[in-house]
């Protein structure tokens, strides 16, 4: 177990550097004129262009810029954005609300998907199964650019159940509507996976054995079936948690949440390389950690799995 | 048996998540009880006067600072923080300040507050967005430096020759003189701009160097002061400054609420969480009349939308081709159908908001006459393929496509809209002289003078003259106007210059903008000015 952990952590370091390098290279290739991008349609004077170019090392070749960036990163300095703000402060501002949003979304999704998935798995072909199938398909087929403004219009403005926008210090209630919208991205898949896993496991030999032993139905489904059915679902939830943090660009924009997605969107728009790479580096770490956690959870769920 | 532990863990984790999420918030802003208003903006780029040229930053700064001059209804400059601004020759200007004004940290406002702020703003290496405003002051060039081996070269640019402009001289604590490098009759109007605000000594960490933290809590000489600090991407709260000697605003405080998305802002306006939105997004215009009723208002703005003809593309060099294209499009149809009358058709080369504007200077060339257009176009042997290049991130696709369809229908030539991801990409192509076709452009004025349209857009050295139009007769008329003895004489020269534009048609005027703004039931007397700023002195809360 320990050796496995060490190995994984070492792999992470490599993955991290590889990912930041690729992202930095992509940003560099995408960069036409960040100073103009930042100024919008305003003309820029020569001396201003000169000053900004030197301040952000924009006149240096790719490796030079990357070196400047990594040198800062390794000493814990994420650098400054093209809007002259400390990127570390921007991240400290943006991450908490995004994490809260993603966690609320994933908890809602997990509860809905697992409960509904188990029920439809047990009563395959029943009314509940068919209704959830149709509902999840409807939600799944609606792109978030439609779903999010629609939810804001209906629940935020017309019915007035939720505030139409949330702020950085938003509480649970303010984040509930955005979290529901965000969660709808992944709830369908997780529900379907739970359902098929439950349905399959119900037919397996150990379930028959458990029943033959005279265990109650509750115990058979709640412990034996569910625990085995959760393995693929946990994998999905882990990956989705990362997805939800990075993929909240539309949701955060629509509900005015100044989180990671919004910052990434802005940074890409203004060709702000260091800002994009800063946020993506942290996202990479989140993905890596979540994946490691998921792998470790396997062992808890399935005793046959051992890490050496 | 074995299975119990993970469940407890999961349940525990879920509970913690909910708790954390719930605890984070709860900072309710006290609404309703106080005499404050919530005004919507986007995240300002900067909150340093010399570095704020976009409307969000200058809107916030307008509540923190008090300008030297303001504009009256006739767009004439009137003294505000200045007692008098006079000049005998339009070259040496004497500015006398009203006595007794202080910054919100109780520091008195003196001539030095202005001189130091302007020198800092003009100093090249500071890279301020608004530094070009100081260009007219004598000695500006010495504060700039040039990279000896070009932008991409390894050498660093040398330090500029000077740190202070020779044109700024202190007479006494409340008087200073500004010497321009050339006479300019409109200088007083220019002084109203954001970049000419003063800065307190507290803004500088050492002479000529701005304090890093100043931008987070700017200290001004205006009616409000910042509470706490600039909460990025969230809000800037300001409250009445006790010692302010100017006209008193009617509200006690303003929360500048920051939105990334226009439609999110509109949702908050309709839901009653926001008091004023200065720009109703075009997507919501259809429903806005129903949502807001008579709280949806329009006021003139200085926006001017046009397309330019690149001079490096020979097929557009014949003015008749340009005139034919101008007559081939139906401006009114575009403003009615696509902009839902939130903009008006443009048939002049300067905006109606400036003194000296004449209606319909473009004359018959800007009328919709498809048959005449086609005859003229065929005779002038215009190109068979027309391209209109625009930046795709600005919501221009709809009207560019509509314009193309009109050109197709009128002239029977092929027309395509070519979207570039960003304006910068468009400029790169123009600089490389690629065949971009017609270029989508726009202009928002900095100060209400005809010269602010004619100079940057059509003069040979104009900063936004991306299409390369150059006419020496025009340039000299513009210069004569700027150096004229009186504003009236200046306008006369500038109008003559505009007449040259009608002959040459370097651009197609398309639309003049309007502010389409909305406000909540809690506020009244909401005015949005030419610069898209809410008049913070007039806005009032409705007594409830």
């Amino acid at each position: 177990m320990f050796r496995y952990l060490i190995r994984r952590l070492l792999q992470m370091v490599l993955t991290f550097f590889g990912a930041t390098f690729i992202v930095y290279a992509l940003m560099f290739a995408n960069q036409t004129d960040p100073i103009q991008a930042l100024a919008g349609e305003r003309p820029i004077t020569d001396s201003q262009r000169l000053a900004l170019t030197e301040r952000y090392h924009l006149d240096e070749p790719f490796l030079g810029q990357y070196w400047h960036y990594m040198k800062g990163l390794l000493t814990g300095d994420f650098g400054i954005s093209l809007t002259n703000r400390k990127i570390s402060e921007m991240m400290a501002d943006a991450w908490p609300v995004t994490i809260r949003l993603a966690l609320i979304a994933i908890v809602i999704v997990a509860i809905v998907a697992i409960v509904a998935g188990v029920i439809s798995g047990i009563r395959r072909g029943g009314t509940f199964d068919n209704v959830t199938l149709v509902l999840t398909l409807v939600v799944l087929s609606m792109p978030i650019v439609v779903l999010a403004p629609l939810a804001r219009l209906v629940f935020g403005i017309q019915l007035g159940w939720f505030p139409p926008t949330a702020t950085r210090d938003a509480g649970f209630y303010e984040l509930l509507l955005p979290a529901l919208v965000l969660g709808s991205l992944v709830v369908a898949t997780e529900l379907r996976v739970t359902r098929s896993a439950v349905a399959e496991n119900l037919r397996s030999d150990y379930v028959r054995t458990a029943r033959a032993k005279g265990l109650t139905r509750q115990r058979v489904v709640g412990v034996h079936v569910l625990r085995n059915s959760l393995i693929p679902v946990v994998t999905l939830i882990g990956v989705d948690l990362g997805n939800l943090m990075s993929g909240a660009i539309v949701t955060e924009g629509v509900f005015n949440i100044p989180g990671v997605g919004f910052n990434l969107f802005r940074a890409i728009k203004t060709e702000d390389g260091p800002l994009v790479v800063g946020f993506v580096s942290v996202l990479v770490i989140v993905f890596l950690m979540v994946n490691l956690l998921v792998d470790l959870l396997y062992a808890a769920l399935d005793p046959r799995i051992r890490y050496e | 048996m074995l299975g119990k532990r993970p469940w407890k863990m999961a349940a525990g984790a879920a509970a913690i998540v909910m708790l954390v999420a719930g605890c984070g918030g709860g900072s309710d802003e006290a609404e309703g009880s106080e005499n404050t208003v919530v005004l919507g903006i986007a995240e300002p780029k900067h909150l340093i006067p010399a570095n704020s040229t976009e409307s969000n930053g200058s809107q916030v700064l307008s509540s923190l600072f008090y300008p030297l001059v303001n504009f009256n209804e006739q767009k004439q400059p009137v003294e505000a923080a200045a007692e008098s601004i006079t000049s005998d020759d339009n070259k040496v200007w004497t500015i006398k300040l009203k006595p007794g004004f202080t910054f919100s940290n109780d520091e008195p406002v003196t001539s030095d507050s202005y001189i130091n702020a302007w020198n800092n703003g003009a100093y090249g290496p500071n890279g301020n967005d608004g530094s070009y405003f100081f260009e007219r002051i004598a000695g500006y060039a010495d504060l700039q430096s040039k990279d000896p081996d070009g932008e991409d070269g390894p050498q660093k640019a040398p330090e500029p020759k000077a740190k202070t402009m020779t044109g700024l001289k202190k007479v006494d604590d409340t008087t200073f003189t500004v010497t321009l490098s050339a006479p300019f009759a409109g200088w007083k109007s220019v002084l109203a701009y954001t970049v000419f605000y003063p800065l307190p000594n507290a803004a500088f960490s050492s002479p000529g160097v701005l304090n890093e933290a100043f931008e987070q809590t700017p200290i001004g000489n205006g009616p409000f002061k910042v509470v706490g600090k600039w909460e990025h991407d969230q809000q800037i709260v300001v409250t009445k400054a006790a010692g302010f000697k100017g006209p008193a605003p009617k509200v006690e405080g303003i929360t500048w609420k920051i939105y990334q998305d226009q439609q999110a802002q509109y949702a908050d306006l309709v839901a009653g969480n926001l008091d004023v939105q200065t720009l109703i997004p075009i997507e919501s215009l259809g429903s806005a009349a129903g949502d807001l009723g008579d709280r949806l208002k329009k006021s003139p703005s200085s926006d001017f939308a046009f397309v330019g003809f690149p001079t490096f593309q020979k097929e557009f060099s014949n003015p008749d081709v340009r005139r034919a294209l101008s007559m081939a499009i139906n401006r009114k149809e575009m403003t009615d159908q696509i902009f839902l009358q939130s903009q008006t058709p443009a048939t002049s080369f300067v905006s109606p908001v400036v003194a000296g504007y004449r209606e319909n200077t473009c004359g018959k060339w800007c009328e919709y006459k498809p048959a005449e257009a086609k005859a003229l176009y065929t005779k002038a042997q215009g190109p068979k393929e027309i391209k209109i290049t625009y930046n795709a991130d600005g919501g221009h696709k709809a009207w560019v496509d509509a314009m193309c369809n009109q050109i197709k229908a009128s002239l029977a030539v092929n027309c395509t809209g070519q979207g570039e991801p960003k304006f910068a990409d468009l400029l790169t192509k123009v600089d490389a002289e690629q065949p971009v076709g017609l270029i989508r452009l726009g202009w928002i004025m900095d100060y209400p003078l005809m010269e602010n349209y004619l100079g940057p857009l059509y003069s040979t050295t104009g900063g936004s003259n991306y299409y390369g139009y150059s006419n020496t007769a025009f340039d000299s008329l513009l210069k004569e106007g700027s150096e004229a003895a009186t504003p009236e004489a200046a306008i006369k020269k500038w109008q003559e210059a505009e007449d040259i534009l009608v002959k040459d048609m370097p651009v197609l005027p398309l639309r003049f903008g309007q502010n389409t703004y909305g406000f909540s039931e809690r506020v009244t007397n909401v005015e949005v000015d030419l610069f898209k700023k809410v008049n913070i002195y007039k806005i009032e809360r409705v007594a409830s």
Side-chain angles (χ1 to χ4, degrees):
Chain A
M1 184 75 171
F2 182 70
R3 277 178 57 196
Y4 175 77
L5 260 181
I6 295 292
R7 203 167 65 227
R8 285 290 297 260
L9 288 173
L10 285 177
Q11 282 171 358
M12 274 187 191
V13 174
L14 269 184
T15 320
F16 177 77
F17 281 106
T20 51
F21 183 81
I22 289 171
V23 175
Y24 205 96
L26 285 174
M27 278 311 289
F28 186 83
N30 181 37
Q31 221 169 38
T32 43
D33 185 354
I35 297 177
Q36 183 67 54
L38 195 65
E41 295 178 20
R42 285 203 160 263
I44 299 164
T45 59
D46 288 342
S47 58
Q48 188 192 1
R49 179 174 286 280
L50 185 74
L52 294 180
T53 302
E54 288 194 356
R55 189 180 302 167
Y56 299 111
H57 306 292
L58 292 175
D59 50 349
E60 288 180 31
F62 168 66
L63 283 175
Q65 288 194 35
Y66 184 68
W67 171 243
H68 272 290
Y69 182 74
M70 284 321 273
K71 212 166 62 182
L73 195 62
L74 293 178
T75 52
D77 176 13
F78 280 95
I80 49 172
S81 75
L82 290 182
T83 47
N84 216 8
R85 282 169 67 189
K86 280 208 179 71
I87 292 176
S88 50
E89 279 174 18
M90 295 176 85
M91 290 214 260
D93 280 347
W95 274 103
V97 68
T98 296
I99 291 176
R100 281 209 302 276
L101 181 66
L103 285 180
I104 295 175
I106 208 77
V107 168
I108 294 173
V109 166
I111 292 171
V112 171
I114 292 172
V115 171
V118 168
I119 296 176
S120 20
I122 296 169
R123 302 193 192 133
R124 269 192 322 283
T127 324
F128 184 83
D129 187 20
N130 286 327
V131 169
T132 48
L133 174 66
V134 171
L135 278 182
T136 49
L137 277 182
V138 168
V139 172
L140 189 68
S141 53
M142 266 215 264
I144 189 124
V145 285
V146 175
L147 198 62
L150 194 68
R152 183 183 64 194
L153 180 70
V154 174
F155 300 107
I157 299 179
Q158 288 176 348
L159 296 173
W161 292 354
F162 300 97
T165 61
T167 55
R168 183 182 297 138
D169 320 308
F172 176 68
Y173 174 61
E174 280 171 89
L175 287 178
L176 193 55
L177 185 61
L180 285 172
V181 169
L182 192 58
S184 70
L185 282 175
V186 295
V187 73
T189 348
E190 288 180 15
L191 196 152
R192 301 314 291 174
V193 168
T194 316
R195 176 191 175 277
S196 54
V198 168
E200 195 182 318
N201 285 330
L202 273 177
R203 281 192 298 253
S204 59
D205 293 342
Y206 66 86
V207 171
R208 203 179 317 129
T209 314
R211 286 214 185 106
K213 280 198 296 186
L215 292 182
T216 60
R217 189 178 158 77
Q218 258 178 329
R219 185 144 187 88
V220 171
V221 173
V223 176
H224 295 254
V225 174
L226 192 55
R227 196 170 150 187
N228 282 294
S229 312
L230 277 186
I231 295 174
V233 182
V234 164
T235 322
L236 258 185
I237 289 181
V239 176
D240 283 343
L241 187 64
N243 278 341
L244 291 185
M245 284 191 196
S246 58
I249 291 181
V250 175
T251 315
E252 290 190 352
V254 167
F255 293 99
N256 201 43
I257 304 168
V260 171
F262 158 67
N263 272 292
L264 269 179
F265 179 68
R266 176 168 61 185
I268 292 168
K269 216 167 70 176
T270 54
E271 302 177 5
D272 199 334
L275 191 54
V276 173
V277 184
F279 275 98
V280 172
S281 316
V282 180
L283 271 177
V284 168
I285 295 176
V286 168
F287 265 96
L288 292 172
M289 293 311 285
V290 168
N291 270 316
L292 179 62
L293 264 180
V294 166
D295 285 349
L296 294 179
L297 259 183
Y298 280 171
L301 288 168
D302 189 344
R304 284 169 302 184
I305 298 175
R306 287 273 179 276
Y307 293 119
E308 295 305 333
Chain B
M1 291 173 280
L2 275 167
K4 283 198 173 159
R5 262 210 340 260
W7 291 118
K8 281 187 183 158
M9 266 168 59
I16 291 169
V17 166
M18 293 302 186
L19 213 66
V20 167
C23 284
S27 64
D28 285 10
E29 288 137 50
E31 263 188 74
S33 58
E34 282 175 79
N35 182 18
T36 61
V37 289
V38 186
L39 309 184
I41 50 169
E43 167 85 356
K45 253 179 79 185
H46 289 288
L47 284 185
I48 292 167
N51 213 355
S52 299
T53 48
E54 40 84 48
S55 60
N56 302 302
S58 53
Q59 167 84 85
V60 174
L61 289 177
S62 75
S63 65
L64 302 175
F65 288 89
Y66 192 52
L68 283 169
V69 293
N70 258 326
F71 295 108
N72 61 12
E73 301 282 319
Q74 290 77 43
K75 289 121 199 169
Q76 303 291 332
V78 278
E79 281 82 355
E83 180 88 53
S84 66
I85 298 172
T86 50
S87 175
D88 300 329
D89 55 0
N90 289 340
K91 191 164 182 211
V92 182
W93 293 79
T94 308
I95 300 174
K96 225 175 136 36
L97 304 173
K98 281 182 186 152
F101 271 86
T102 55
F103 288 99
S104 55
N105 64 348
D106 293 333
E107 216 179 275
V109 180
T110 65
S111 331
D112 283 326
S113 317
Y114 287 91
I115 294 172
N116 291 342
W118 297 3
N119 279 329
N120 182 268
Y123 189 60
N126 292 340
N128 284 315
D129 278 356
S131 60
Y132 63 94
F133 277 91
F134 302 103
E135 259 170 3
R136 290 180 193 277
I137 300 176
Y140 171 84
D142 288 344
L143 272 64
Q144 316 303 319
S145 63
K146 268 217 155 61
D147 205 330
D149 51 0
E151 208 182 287
D152 297 323
Q155 281 187 55
K156 298 269 179 244
E159 270 210 10
K161 272 185 260 169
K163 289 199 163 180
T164 53
M165 290 182 278
T166 51
L168 298 178
K169 286 227 169 57
K170 180 179 175 175
V171 177
D172 60 46
D173 263 357
T174 54
T175 319
F176 64 103
T177 60
V178 183
T179 310
L180 305 181
S181 39
F184 182 43
W187 179 245
K188 204 168 151 184
S189 294
V190 180
L191 285 176
Y193 200 71
T194 316
V195 301
F196 295 101
Y197 290 141
L199 287 176
N201 284 329
F204 298 94
S205 54
S206 64
V209 182
L210 272 188
N211 195 337
E212 286 268 319
F214 179 74
E215 191 173 12
Q216 308 308 318
T217 44
I219 298 164
N221 61 337
F224 296 96
K225 61 178 183 201
V226 180
V227 179
K229 58 184 227 177
W230 177 5
E231 293 168 55
H232 286 280
D233 301 324
Q234 181 119 323
Q235 61 181 14
I236 302 164
V237 184
V238 301
T239 186
K240 238 180 191 174
F244 182 61
K245 300 281 191 307
K250 307 220 163 55
V251 292
E252 292 297 317
I254 299 171
T255 300
W256 298 104
K257 199 162 175 207
I258 298 170
Y259 292 88
Q260 299 118 36
D261 181 61
Q262 294 277 358
Q263 297 208 58
Q265 192 178 350
Y266 182 73
D268 251 7
L269 177 71
V270 175
N273 300 330
L274 177 74
D275 288 325
V276 183
Q277 179 172 20
T278 52
L279 180 69
I280 305 286
I282 197 146
E283 297 88 341
S284 309
L285 272 180
S287 64
D291 291 339
L292 300 168
D294 57 0
R295 291 180 284 118
L296 175 71
K297 287 261 162 63
K298 280 180 192 164
S299 69
S301 90
S302 69
D303 287 17
F304 173 43
F306 59 96
V307 293
F309 296 100
T311 40
F312 53 81
Q313 274 187 273
K314 290 282 160 287
E315 57 264 44
F316 296 117
S317 57
N318 184 349
D320 277 343
V321 173
R322 310 201 279 246
R323 285 178 193 141
L325 279 167
S326 176
M327 288 196 292
I329 53 174
N330 188 344
R331 293 170 172 78
K332 182 139 178 43
E333 191 180 58
M334 279 195 271
T335 54
D336 284 355
Q337 301 293 321
I338 293 167
F339 294 95
L340 304 174
Q341 297 178 339
S342 65
Q343 305 202 1
T344 52
T347 51
S348 298
F349 292 86
V350 299
S351 163
V353 301
V354 292
Y357 162 81
R358 292 164 298 162
E359 234 172 85
N360 205 13
T361 49
C362 177
K364 66 170 183 176
W365 305 124
C366 286
E367 280 169 39
Y368 176 54
K369 288 181 186 153
E372 269 185 52
K374 187 159 187 208
L376 188 64
Y377 196 78
T378 324
K379 206 175 126 226
Q381 293 177 327
K384 288 272 161 281
E385 284 279 337
I386 298 279
K387 197 155 83 170
I388 305 175
T389 305
Y390 61 97
N391 53 315
D393 62 349
H396 299 295
K397 188 175 180 354
W399 70 261
V400 168
D401 286 349
M403 184 167 155
C404 254
N405 287 334
Q406 292 177 344
I407 290 176
K408 269 190 235 171
S410 306
L411 302 178
V413 293
N414 195 22
C415 176
T416 45
Q418 167 78 39
E420 292 295 328
K422 277 179 290 239
F423 192 69
D425 300 306
L426 195 162
L427 287 190
T428 314
K429 283 204 165 179
V430 173
D431 286 341
E433 307 208 343
Q434 291 183 27
V436 288
L438 279 59
I439 315 165
R440 184 230 55 100
L441 292 162
W443 181 250
I444 302 169
M445 71 177 185
D446 299 318
Y447 45 89
L449 287 180
M450 268 183 99
E451 188 267 344
N452 195 225
Y453 286 86
L454 301 178
L457 294 182
Y458 314 114
S459 73
T460 307
T461 53
S464 298
N465 180 359
Y466 300 117
Y467 27 91
Y469 172 68
S470 173
N471 183 326
T472 45
F474 176 88
D475 287 348
S476 59
L477 275 172
L478 183 69
K479 191 157 176 283
E480 281 169 36
S482 300
E483 296 178 1
T486 61
E488 292 73 31
I491 284 174
K492 226 170 152 282
K493 287 285 177 198
W494 289 333
Q495 287 179 337
E496 280 174 43
E498 193 189 351
D499 292 338
I500 293 181
L501 296 180
V502 179
K503 261 184 257 155
D504 287 355
M505 283 297 269
V507 307
L508 290 189
L510 289 176
R511 301 179 309 273
F512 293 128
Q514 288 187 90
N515 298 315
T516 311
Y517 61 100
F519 51 92
S520 73
E521 281 161 350
R522 289 188 299 269
V523 292
T524 176
N525 269 341
V526 183
E527 278 180 20
V528 178
D529 69 9
L530 303 176
F531 304 95
K532 304 180 182 189
K533 291 188 213 164
V534 178
N535 188 330
I536 51 153
Y537 296 94
K538 287 199 173 157
I539 188 169
E540 265 183 82
R541 268 192 79 114
V542 176
S544 55

